[in-house]
Amino acid sequence: MSFKLPQTTRALVLRKAPADRSPPYHDIAIQEQPIPALQTGQVLVKIAAAAFNHRELWIRKGQYPRIAFGRALGADGAGTVVAAADAADPLVDQRVFLTPMRGWESSPDGPESDFGILGGAAFPPLGTFAEYVVVDRREVIATPAHLTDEQAAAWPLAGVTAWRAITLAQISKGARASVLITGVGGGVALQALQLCCAMGADVYVTSGSQAKIDRAVALGARGGVLYSDADWPTALAALLAQHKCAHLDAVIDSGGAEILRKTSGVLKQGGRVVCYGMTAAPAVSMSMREVMRNQQLIGTTMGSRADLDAATVFLAAHTIVPVVAAVLPGLGVEAAEQGFGMMAQGTQFGKIVIRVADSDGAQARL
C-alpha cells in the first residue's frame, strides 16, 4: 500500500506575547504549515516523539537569542523516514532522530560556521514539535535498536552536551576516575551520570532533593549530597572519605557561581571543573587558591555532529536508556503547557517528552 505524501503538517509554534504582558512570556499555538517539496538529498521524517529542553522555556521568557515567531518549537525529535527525494534512499522506513544543531561539524574548539539549534529560532528554520519535518538526510541519525522513539527523542541535545563535557573533563572508559555531577535530575546531568558509569567512573552527585539522589544511586552513582545544605562541600568531603576516595578528578557542573571554590578542597591538583550551565549564577568565581592548585575551569555548550555520532555509538554499545520523566499524549497546546509547567517547577527526574504520533514505518519513495 503506497504512502500518500502529506501537503501540510500541524506544528506547535511560538507566538509573540501581548506588549502589556510583564514579564514577557510568549504564547504557543498549533498551526497548520505547508510541507516543502523534497529537494535532492532531503528526506521527510514523521515525528513520533519530541522532547523538551529548558531552552524552550527560556525562549518563551524571551531570554534566548534569535527568537523567531511563527516557527515550530523543539530541538529534539525522533520518528521514521517516510519519504525521500532519492527513490533508492535506504533511509526510507528507518527509525531516526534529528541532529539538534547546525554549523558545528567536528572541531574540538567550537562551531566552524554560523551556529544554530532547532526550534523557535531564525536559524535553522525548523523545529521538532511537528507531525512532519523535511531535513537533509545527513541531519538524521539511525535510532539505536534498543530505544523507543520516546527514549530516542530524549537523547540528542542532552546527550551531546554531556558527552562533550565528559570529554573535556578527560574521563574515558577504563580510566577509573572520580567525578562529581551537579544538579542531578536534569537531562544533561543524568546523561552524564549514565555515560560516566558506563565508562567505569565513580560518580557522585548533588541535588536539592534526597529522592533524586536516591534515584541517581539506583542508576549507578556512589552517593550524593544536598546542595540546599549550606555546608554541602563538607558533607561531600566526608562522603568521599567514607568511600576511601582521595579526591575528585573532575566536576561536571550546570550551576556556575561558586562551584570551583566550593569543590577546590576535594578536587585533585590539575583537576577540571567543566561548566555547561548557569542555573545558580551567570558567573563562576576563581581565586589564586585554585590557580596555585593548577585547577582548571572549562566552559562548554552542546557539541559537534562528530561528538553526537561518537556518543550515539557509545550509547548503543552499552545499551544506555535515557531517563524519561513523563510522556505527554498528543501534539497540542494543552499537553505542551503541561510540559512547560513541569519544567518551570523543576521537579522532574529526566526528560519530558511529547508523543506526537505512532511511528508506522510507512513506505514512500518519490
Side-chain angles (χ1 to χ4, degrees):
M1 182 177 179
S2 62
F3 173 71
K4 183 178 180 181
L5 287 173
Q7 302 301 306
T8 62
T9 180
R10 294 171 65 251
L12 185 78
V13 302
L14 186 70
R15 294 276 178 82
K16 188 174 179 60
D20 60 353
R21 184 179 295 166
S22 182
Y25 188 71
H26 298 305
D27 294 321
I28 54 175
I30 292 293
Q31 179 177 306
E32 199 81 16
Q33 297 183 329
I35 297 175
L38 292 174
Q39 304 298 316
T40 300
Q42 291 185 328
V43 296
L44 178 67
V45 179
K46 181 179 181 180
I47 298 293
F52 284 91
N53 292 285
H54 270 88
R55 176 176 176 273
E56 281 87 47
L57 189 59
W58 294 332
I59 286 173
R60 290 196 71 183
K61 291 180 177 181
Q63 298 174 354
Y64 207 86
R66 302 170 73 178
I67 292 173
F69 299 107
R71 294 276 168 82
L73 290 166
D76 282 332
T80 300
V81 175
V82 293
D86 180 356
D89 197 320
L91 281 177
V92 174
D93 289 341
Q94 299 303 305
R95 294 172 60 238
V96 298
F97 62 85
L98 276 63
T99 57
M101 83 295 280
R102 299 289 186 273
W104 193 353
E105 292 300 318
S106 60
S107 170
D109 299 321
E112 298 93 346
S113 60
D114 189 22
F115 181 71
I117 304 172
L118 303 187
F123 171 76
L126 69 147
T128 59
F129 286 5
E131 293 173 320
Y132 295 90
V133 296
V134 172
V135 296
D136 290 344
R137 70 182 311 281
R138 68 179 308 277
E139 299 298 352
V140 299
I141 297 175
T143 295
H146 72 285
L147 298 183
T148 66
D149 289 320
E150 291 81 7
Q151 292 161 348
W155 163 246
L157 194 151
V160 71
T161 304
W163 183 263
R164 177 169 161 82
I166 291 168
T167 302
L168 292 172
Q170 295 188 344
I171 299 164
S172 58
K173 187 170 177 60
R176 191 65 179 270
S178 295
V179 57
L180 174 69
I181 299 173
T182 67
V184 77
V188 177
L190 282 172
Q191 296 288 8
L193 165 65
Q194 292 177 291
L195 292 168
C196 284
C197 287
M199 291 176 182
D202 291 329
V203 180
Y204 298 87
V205 299
T206 72
S207 176
S209 160
Q210 185 59 49
K212 289 185 179 182
I213 292 174
D214 293 341
R215 293 186 67 179
V217 169
L219 286 172
R222 296 208 67 194
V225 296
L226 293 166
Y227 62 65
S228 51
D229 292 346
D231 199 24
W232 69 261
T234 299
L236 175 63
L239 179 61
L240 294 175
Q242 178 185 336
H243 291 166
K244 297 184 177 4
C245 178
H247 54 244
L248 293 172
D249 294 289
V251 178
I252 295 175
D253 175 60
S254 61
E258 300 299 318
I259 185 62
L260 183 55
R261 180 182 64 81
K262 289 183 175 181
T263 58
S264 179
V266 293
L267 186 63
K268 74 174 184 179
Q269 290 269 358
R272 298 181 166 207
V273 173
V274 180
C275 183
Y276 64 86
M278 57 176 189
T279 56
V284 183
S285 299
M286 187 173 189
S287 72
M288 281 305 298
R289 179 181 69 167
E290 290 77 54
V291 173
M292 295 298 291
R293 288 176 58 81
N294 301 300
Q295 292 168 341
Q296 301 174 58
L297 173 64
I298 303 170
T300 183
T301 177
M302 283 197 68
S304 68
R305 169 59 187 264
D307 289 326
L308 182 55
D309 285 337
T312 303
V313 169
F314 187 89
L315 175 96
H318 293 81
T319 58
I320 296 170
V321 177
V323 180
V324 175
V327 177
L328 307 176
L331 180 68
V333 171
E334 183 177 353
E337 290 291 16
Q338 185 181 348
F340 278 110
M342 293 173 68
M343 279 197 302
Q345 292 172 5
T347 56
Q348 77 276 8
F349 188 86
K351 297 297 290 284
I352 303 165
V353 175
I354 287 182
R355 179 190 290 277
V356 178
D358 291 329
S359 184
D360 57 15
Q363 296 182 352
R365 288 178 173 83
L366 300 183

PDB file of all heavy atoms in Angstrom, residues 7-36:
ATOM      1  N   GLN A   7       0.561  17.189   2.496  1.00  0.00           N
ATOM      2  CA  GLN A   7       0.863  18.520   1.973  1.00  0.00           C
ATOM      3  C   GLN A   7       1.119  19.532   3.084  1.00  0.00           C
ATOM      4  O   GLN A   7       1.786  20.544   2.862  1.00  0.00           O
ATOM      5  CB  GLN A   7      -0.296  19.013   1.082  1.00  0.00           C
ATOM      6  CG  GLN A   7      -0.601  18.098  -0.093  1.00  0.00           C
ATOM      7  CD  GLN A   7       0.588  17.924  -1.009  1.00  0.00           C
ATOM      8  OE1 GLN A   7       1.161  18.904  -1.492  1.00  0.00           O
ATOM      9  NE2 GLN A   7       0.979  16.673  -1.256  1.00  0.00           N
ATOM     10  N   THR A   8       0.577  19.259   4.261  1.00  0.00           N
ATOM     11  CA  THR A   8       0.741  20.175   5.386  1.00  0.00           C
ATOM     12  C   THR A   8       1.068  19.384   6.653  1.00  0.00           C
ATOM     13  O   THR A   8       0.875  18.161   6.708  1.00  0.00           O
ATOM     14  CB  THR A   8      -0.532  21.004   5.639  1.00  0.00           C
ATOM     15  OG1 THR A   8      -1.618  20.123   5.976  1.00  0.00           O
ATOM     16  CG2 THR A   8      -0.893  21.842   4.424  1.00  0.00           C
ATOM     17  N   THR A   9       1.528  20.084   7.655  1.00  0.00           N
ATOM     18  CA  THR A   9       1.821  19.481   8.953  1.00  0.00           C
ATOM     19  C   THR A   9       1.341  20.394  10.067  1.00  0.00           C
ATOM     20  O   THR A   9       1.412  21.622   9.958  1.00  0.00           O
ATOM     21  CB  THR A   9       3.337  19.228   9.124  1.00  0.00           C
ATOM     22  OG1 THR A   9       3.564  18.647  10.409  1.00  0.00           O
ATOM     23  CG2 THR A   9       4.149  20.515   9.018  1.00  0.00           C
ATOM     24  N   ARG A  10       0.827  19.791  11.111  1.00  0.00           N
ATOM     25  CA  ARG A  10       0.499  20.555  12.310  1.00  0.00           C
ATOM     26  C   ARG A  10       1.781  20.752  13.110  1.00  0.00           C
ATOM     27  O   ARG A  10       2.583  19.827  13.262  1.00  0.00           O
ATOM     28  CB  ARG A  10      -0.539  19.826  13.163  1.00  0.00           C
ATOM     29  CG  ARG A  10      -1.897  19.703  12.500  1.00  0.00           C
ATOM     30  CD  ARG A  10      -2.826  18.785  13.274  1.00  0.00           C
ATOM     31  NE  ARG A  10      -3.156  19.309  14.596  1.00  0.00           N
ATOM     32  CZ  ARG A  10      -2.723  18.806  15.737  1.00  0.00           C
ATOM     33  NH1 ARG A  10      -1.908  17.756  15.736  1.00  0.00           N
ATOM     34  NH2 ARG A  10      -3.086  19.324  16.889  1.00  0.00           N
ATOM     35  N   ALA A  11       1.967  21.964  13.621  1.00  0.00           N
ATOM     36  CA  ALA A  11       3.171  22.269  14.376  1.00  0.00           C
ATOM     37  C   ALA A  11       2.826  23.168  15.561  1.00  0.00           C
ATOM     38  O   ALA A  11       1.884  23.968  15.496  1.00  0.00           O
ATOM     39  CB  ALA A  11       4.209  22.954  13.484  1.00  0.00           C
ATOM     40  N   LEU A  12       3.594  23.004  16.644  1.00  0.00           N
ATOM     41  CA  LEU A  12       3.445  23.870  17.817  1.00  0.00           C
ATOM     42  C   LEU A  12       4.393  25.040  17.620  1.00  0.00           C
ATOM     43  O   LEU A  12       5.621  24.867  17.657  1.00  0.00           O
ATOM     44  CB  LEU A  12       3.782  23.115  19.101  1.00  0.00           C
ATOM     45  CG  LEU A  12       3.536  23.883  20.400  1.00  0.00           C
ATOM     46  CD1 LEU A  12       2.045  23.883  20.737  1.00  0.00           C
ATOM     47  CD2 LEU A  12       4.334  23.284  21.545  1.00  0.00           C
ATOM     48  N   VAL A  13       3.836  26.228  17.409  1.00  0.00           N
ATOM     49  CA  VAL A  13       4.651  27.384  17.048  1.00  0.00           C
ATOM     50  C   VAL A  13       4.649  28.433  18.153  1.00  0.00           C
ATOM     51  O   VAL A  13       3.786  28.457  19.036  1.00  0.00           O
ATOM     52  CB  VAL A  13       4.166  28.024  15.728  1.00  0.00           C
ATOM     53  CG1 VAL A  13       4.185  27.009  14.602  1.00  0.00           C
ATOM     54  CG2 VAL A  13       2.772  28.618  15.895  1.00  0.00           C
ATOM     55  N   LEU A  14       5.651  29.302  18.073  1.00  0.00           N
ATOM     56  CA  LEU A  14       5.809  30.400  19.031  1.00  0.00           C
ATOM     57  C   LEU A  14       5.053  31.623  18.542  1.00  0.00           C
ATOM     58  O   LEU A  14       5.164  32.007  17.378  1.00  0.00           O
ATOM     59  CB  LEU A  14       7.303  30.720  19.177  1.00  0.00           C
ATOM     60  CG  LEU A  14       7.707  31.742  20.234  1.00  0.00           C
ATOM     61  CD1 LEU A  14       7.502  31.159  21.633  1.00  0.00           C
ATOM     62  CD2 LEU A  14       9.176  32.159  20.040  1.00  0.00           C
ATOM     63  N   ARG A  15       4.289  32.244  19.433  1.00  0.00           N
ATOM     64  CA  ARG A  15       3.555  33.472  19.133  1.00  0.00           C
ATOM     65  C   ARG A  15       3.982  34.568  20.101  1.00  0.00           C
ATOM     66  O   ARG A  15       4.138  34.314  21.299  1.00  0.00           O
ATOM     67  CB  ARG A  15       2.048  33.231  19.257  1.00  0.00           C
ATOM     68  CG  ARG A  15       1.475  32.274  18.218  1.00  0.00           C
ATOM     69  CD  ARG A  15       1.164  33.000  16.923  1.00  0.00           C
ATOM     70  NE  ARG A  15       0.655  32.108  15.890  1.00  0.00           N
ATOM     71  CZ  ARG A  15      -0.603  31.701  15.779  1.00  0.00           C
ATOM     72  NH1 ARG A  15      -1.498  32.076  16.686  1.00  0.00           N
ATOM     73  NH2 ARG A  15      -0.978  30.914  14.794  1.00  0.00           N
ATOM     74  N   LYS A  16       4.147  35.759  19.593  1.00  0.00           N
ATOM     75  CA  LYS A  16       4.620  36.881  20.410  1.00  0.00           C
ATOM     76  C   LYS A  16       3.600  37.249  21.477  1.00  0.00           C
ATOM     77  O   LYS A  16       2.392  37.330  21.215  1.00  0.00           O
ATOM     78  CB  LYS A  16       4.907  38.093  19.533  1.00  0.00           C
ATOM     79  CG  LYS A  16       5.591  39.257  20.277  1.00  0.00           C
ATOM     80  CD  LYS A  16       5.972  40.353  19.311  1.00  0.00           C
ATOM     81  CE  LYS A  16       6.630  41.517  20.029  1.00  0.00           C
ATOM     82  NZ  LYS A  16       7.864  41.140  20.739  1.00  0.00           N
ATOM     83  N   ALA A  17       4.070  37.461  22.694  1.00  0.00           N
ATOM     84  CA  ALA A  17       3.194  37.851  23.803  1.00  0.00           C
ATOM     85  C   ALA A  17       2.675  39.264  23.592  1.00  0.00           C
ATOM     86  O   ALA A  17       3.333  40.090  22.954  1.00  0.00           O
ATOM     87  CB  ALA A  17       3.965  37.777  25.119  1.00  0.00           C
ATOM     88  N   PRO A  18       1.488  39.557  24.118  1.00  0.00           N
ATOM     89  CA  PRO A  18       0.991  40.935  24.054  1.00  0.00           C
ATOM     90  C   PRO A  18       1.983  41.909  24.683  1.00  0.00           C
ATOM     91  O   PRO A  18       2.696  41.566  25.637  1.00  0.00           O
ATOM     92  CB  PRO A  18      -0.318  40.875  24.863  1.00  0.00           C
ATOM     93  CG  PRO A  18      -0.724  39.441  24.818  1.00  0.00           C
ATOM     94  CD  PRO A  18       0.549  38.655  24.792  1.00  0.00           C
ATOM     95  N   ALA A  19       2.034  43.127  24.169  1.00  0.00           N
ATOM     96  CA  ALA A  19       3.014  44.114  24.621  1.00  0.00           C
ATOM     97  C   ALA A  19       2.854  44.469  26.090  1.00  0.00           C
ATOM     98  O   ALA A  19       3.826  44.872  26.751  1.00  0.00           O
ATOM     99  CB  ALA A  19       2.912  45.372  23.763  1.00  0.00           C
ATOM    100  N   ASP A  20       1.634  44.326  26.621  1.00  0.00           N
ATOM    101  CA  ASP A  20       1.401  44.712  28.011  1.00  0.00           C
ATOM    102  C   ASP A  20       1.648  43.576  29.003  1.00  0.00           C
ATOM    103  O   ASP A  20       1.408  43.729  30.201  1.00  0.00           O
ATOM    104  CB  ASP A  20      -0.023  45.249  28.189  1.00  0.00           C
ATOM    105  CG  ASP A  20      -1.093  44.227  27.814  1.00  0.00           C
ATOM    106  OD1 ASP A  20      -0.719  43.143  27.283  1.00  0.00           O
ATOM    107  OD2 ASP A  20      -2.284  44.509  28.037  1.00  0.00           O
ATOM    108  N   ARG A  21       2.124  42.434  28.532  1.00  0.00           N
ATOM    109  CA  ARG A  21       2.399  41.313  29.438  1.00  0.00           C
ATOM    110  C   ARG A  21       3.790  41.488  30.045  1.00  0.00           C
ATOM    111  O   ARG A  21       4.786  41.515  29.323  1.00  0.00           O
ATOM    112  CB  ARG A  21       2.300  39.983  28.704  1.00  0.00           C
ATOM    113  CG  ARG A  21       2.495  38.771  29.624  1.00  0.00           C
ATOM    114  CD  ARG A  21       2.374  37.484  28.842  1.00  0.00           C
ATOM    115  NE  ARG A  21       1.032  37.284  28.309  1.00  0.00           N
ATOM    116  CZ  ARG A  21       0.722  36.389  27.381  1.00  0.00           C
ATOM    117  NH1 ARG A  21       1.679  35.638  26.851  1.00  0.00           N
ATOM    118  NH2 ARG A  21      -0.524  36.270  26.966  1.00  0.00           N
ATOM    119  N   SER A  22       3.843  41.603  31.354  1.00  0.00           N
ATOM    120  CA  SER A  22       5.119  41.816  32.024  1.00  0.00           C
ATOM    121  C   SER A  22       5.213  40.940  33.269  1.00  0.00           C
ATOM    122  O   SER A  22       4.319  40.992  34.120  1.00  0.00           O
ATOM    123  CB  SER A  22       5.281  43.299  32.412  1.00  0.00           C
ATOM    124  OG  SER A  22       6.525  43.518  33.020  1.00  0.00           O
ATOM    125  N   PRO A  23       6.281  40.139  33.406  1.00  0.00           N
ATOM    126  CA  PRO A  23       7.343  39.972  32.423  1.00  0.00           C
ATOM    127  C   PRO A  23       6.832  39.230  31.194  1.00  0.00           C
ATOM    128  O   PRO A  23       5.823  38.527  31.257  1.00  0.00           O
ATOM    129  CB  PRO A  23       8.388  39.143  33.186  1.00  0.00           C
ATOM    130  CG  PRO A  23       7.586  38.365  34.178  1.00  0.00           C
ATOM    131  CD  PRO A  23       6.473  39.276  34.597  1.00  0.00           C
ATOM    132  N   PRO A  24       7.529  39.360  30.067  1.00  0.00           N
ATOM    133  CA  PRO A  24       7.045  38.708  28.845  1.00  0.00           C
ATOM    134  C   PRO A  24       7.083  37.191  28.958  1.00  0.00           C
ATOM    135  O   PRO A  24       8.006  36.625  29.536  1.00  0.00           O
ATOM    136  CB  PRO A  24       8.029  39.206  27.778  1.00  0.00           C
ATOM    137  CG  PRO A  24       9.258  39.577  28.544  1.00  0.00           C
ATOM    138  CD  PRO A  24       8.784  40.088  29.864  1.00  0.00           C
ATOM    139  N   TYR A  25       6.063  36.555  28.454  1.00  0.00           N
ATOM    140  CA  TYR A  25       6.027  35.097  28.360  1.00  0.00           C
ATOM    141  C   TYR A  25       5.249  34.791  27.099  1.00  0.00           C
ATOM    142  O   TYR A  25       4.025  34.939  27.036  1.00  0.00           O
ATOM    143  CB  TYR A  25       5.357  34.480  29.585  1.00  0.00           C
ATOM    144  CG  TYR A  25       5.461  32.967  29.649  1.00  0.00           C
ATOM    145  CD1 TYR A  25       6.679  32.356  29.927  1.00  0.00           C
ATOM    146  CD2 TYR A  25       4.352  32.157  29.435  1.00  0.00           C
ATOM    147  CE1 TYR A  25       6.788  30.966  29.988  1.00  0.00           C
ATOM    148  CE2 TYR A  25       4.447  30.773  29.499  1.00  0.00           C
ATOM    149  CZ  TYR A  25       5.675  30.186  29.777  1.00  0.00           C
ATOM    150  OH  TYR A  25       5.795  28.812  29.833  1.00  0.00           O
ATOM    151  N   HIS A  26       5.977  34.395  26.061  1.00  0.00           N
ATOM    152  CA  HIS A  26       5.377  34.259  24.739  1.00  0.00           C
ATOM    153  C   HIS A  26       4.395  33.093  24.680  1.00  0.00           C
ATOM    154  O   HIS A  26       4.513  32.111  25.420  1.00  0.00           O
ATOM    155  CB  HIS A  26       6.463  34.098  23.682  1.00  0.00           C
ATOM    156  CG  HIS A  26       7.376  35.285  23.598  1.00  0.00           C
ATOM    157  ND1 HIS A  26       6.914  36.562  23.385  1.00  0.00           N
ATOM    158  CD2 HIS A  26       8.734  35.392  23.720  1.00  0.00           C
ATOM    159  CE1 HIS A  26       7.928  37.398  23.360  1.00  0.00           C
ATOM    160  NE2 HIS A  26       9.042  36.723  23.568  1.00  0.00           N
ATOM    161  N   ASP A  27       3.447  33.213  23.793  1.00  0.00           N
ATOM    162  CA  ASP A  27       2.381  32.226  23.653  1.00  0.00           C
ATOM    163  C   ASP A  27       2.806  31.085  22.722  1.00  0.00           C
ATOM    164  O   ASP A  27       3.797  31.183  21.985  1.00  0.00           O
ATOM    165  CB  ASP A  27       1.121  32.898  23.098  1.00  0.00           C
ATOM    166  CG  ASP A  27       0.529  33.896  24.073  1.00  0.00           C
ATOM    167  OD1 ASP A  27       0.523  33.610  25.291  1.00  0.00           O
ATOM    168  OD2 ASP A  27       0.087  34.975  23.623  1.00  0.00           O
ATOM    169  N   ILE A  28       2.029  30.016  22.760  1.00  0.00           N
ATOM    170  CA  ILE A  28       2.206  28.908  21.834  1.00  0.00           C
ATOM    171  C   ILE A  28       0.853  28.601  21.201  1.00  0.00           C
ATOM    172  O   ILE A  28      -0.208  28.866  21.781  1.00  0.00           O
ATOM    173  CB  ILE A  28       2.767  27.646  22.521  1.00  0.00           C
ATOM    174  CG1 ILE A  28       1.906  27.252  23.731  1.00  0.00           C
ATOM    175  CG2 ILE A  28       4.209  27.851  22.928  1.00  0.00           C
ATOM    176  CD1 ILE A  28       2.342  25.930  24.380  1.00  0.00           C
ATOM    177  N   ALA A  29       0.889  28.052  20.001  1.00  0.00           N
ATOM    178  CA  ALA A  29      -0.345  27.715  19.296  1.00  0.00           C
ATOM    179  C   ALA A  29      -0.059  26.600  18.301  1.00  0.00           C
ATOM    180  O   ALA A  29       1.074  26.425  17.846  1.00  0.00           O
ATOM    181  CB  ALA A  29      -0.894  28.939  18.565  1.00  0.00           C
ATOM    182  N   ILE A  30      -1.104  25.838  17.983  1.00  0.00           N
ATOM    183  CA  ILE A  30      -1.000  24.841  16.923  1.00  0.00           C
ATOM    184  C   ILE A  30      -1.325  25.520  15.601  1.00  0.00           C
ATOM    185  O   ILE A  30      -2.341  26.202  15.469  1.00  0.00           O
ATOM    186  CB  ILE A  30      -1.949  23.661  17.163  1.00  0.00           C
ATOM    187  CG1 ILE A  30      -1.505  22.858  18.383  1.00  0.00           C
ATOM    188  CG2 ILE A  30      -2.004  22.758  15.932  1.00  0.00           C
ATOM    189  CD1 ILE A  30      -0.167  22.135  18.203  1.00  0.00           C
ATOM    190  N   GLN A  31      -0.451  25.326  14.635  1.00  0.00           N
ATOM    191  CA  GLN A  31      -0.618  25.976  13.334  1.00  0.00           C
ATOM    192  C   GLN A  31      -0.394  24.963  12.214  1.00  0.00           C
ATOM    193  O   GLN A  31       0.504  24.131  12.291  1.00  0.00           O
ATOM    194  CB  GLN A  31       0.384  27.125  13.209  1.00  0.00           C
ATOM    195  CG  GLN A  31       0.335  27.882  11.905  1.00  0.00           C
ATOM    196  CD  GLN A  31       1.314  29.043  11.898  1.00  0.00           C
ATOM    197  OE1 GLN A  31       1.298  29.889  12.786  1.00  0.00           O
ATOM    198  NE2 GLN A  31       2.191  29.080  10.904  1.00  0.00           N
ATOM    199  N   GLU A  32      -1.210  25.041  11.203  1.00  0.00           N
ATOM    200  CA  GLU A  32      -1.039  24.203  10.019  1.00  0.00           C
ATOM    201  C   GLU A  32      -0.017  24.875   9.108  1.00  0.00           C
ATOM    202  O   GLU A  32      -0.172  26.050   8.754  1.00  0.00           O
ATOM    203  CB  GLU A  32      -2.373  24.033   9.289  1.00  0.00           C
ATOM    204  CG  GLU A  32      -2.426  22.851   8.352  1.00  0.00           C
ATOM    205  CD  GLU A  32      -2.711  21.542   9.075  1.00  0.00           C
ATOM    206  OE1 GLU A  32      -3.170  21.581  10.232  1.00  0.00           O
ATOM    207  OE2 GLU A  32      -2.478  20.479   8.461  1.00  0.00           O
ATOM    208  N   GLN A  33       1.033  24.139   8.750  1.00  0.00           N
ATOM    209  CA  GLN A  33       2.094  24.701   7.924  1.00  0.00           C
ATOM    210  C   GLN A  33       2.303  23.844   6.684  1.00  0.00           C
ATOM    211  O   GLN A  33       2.169  22.613   6.745  1.00  0.00           O
ATOM    212  CB  GLN A  33       3.400  24.796   8.717  1.00  0.00           C
ATOM    213  CG  GLN A  33       3.333  25.722   9.922  1.00  0.00           C
ATOM    214  CD  GLN A  33       4.678  25.852  10.634  1.00  0.00           C
ATOM    215  OE1 GLN A  33       5.473  24.926  10.646  1.00  0.00           O
ATOM    216  NE2 GLN A  33       4.921  27.001  11.225  1.00  0.00           N
ATOM    217  N   PRO A  34       2.651  24.463   5.555  1.00  0.00           N
ATOM    218  CA  PRO A  34       2.909  23.671   4.345  1.00  0.00           C
ATOM    219  C   PRO A  34       4.203  22.868   4.469  1.00  0.00           C
ATOM    220  O   PRO A  34       5.155  23.294   5.124  1.00  0.00           O
ATOM    221  CB  PRO A  34       3.033  24.742   3.256  1.00  0.00           C
ATOM    222  CG  PRO A  34       3.467  25.979   3.993  1.00  0.00           C
ATOM    223  CD  PRO A  34       2.797  25.910   5.335  1.00  0.00           C
ATOM    224  N   ILE A  35       4.215  21.690   3.880  1.00  0.00           N
ATOM    225  CA  ILE A  35       5.425  20.875   3.823  1.00  0.00           C
ATOM    226  C   ILE A  35       6.110  21.158   2.490  1.00  0.00           C
ATOM    227  O   ILE A  35       5.520  20.937   1.432  1.00  0.00           O
ATOM    228  CB  ILE A  35       5.104  19.378   3.949  1.00  0.00           C
ATOM    229  CG1 ILE A  35       4.475  19.081   5.312  1.00  0.00           C
ATOM    230  CG2 ILE A  35       6.363  18.535   3.747  1.00  0.00           C
ATOM    231  CD1 ILE A  35       4.025  17.643   5.470  1.00  0.00           C
ATOM    232  N   PRO A  36       7.340  21.667   2.518  1.00  0.00           N
ATOM    233  CA  PRO A  36       8.015  21.985   1.257  1.00  0.00           C
ATOM    234  C   PRO A  36       8.327  20.731   0.451  1.00  0.00           C
ATOM    235  O   PRO A  36       8.495  19.642   0.999  1.00  0.00           O
ATOM    236  CB  PRO A  36       9.298  22.686   1.715  1.00  0.00           C
ATOM    237  CG  PRO A  36       9.530  22.188   3.104  1.00  0.00           C
ATOM    238  CD  PRO A  36       8.175  21.961   3.694  1.00  0.00           C
TER     239      PRO A  36
END
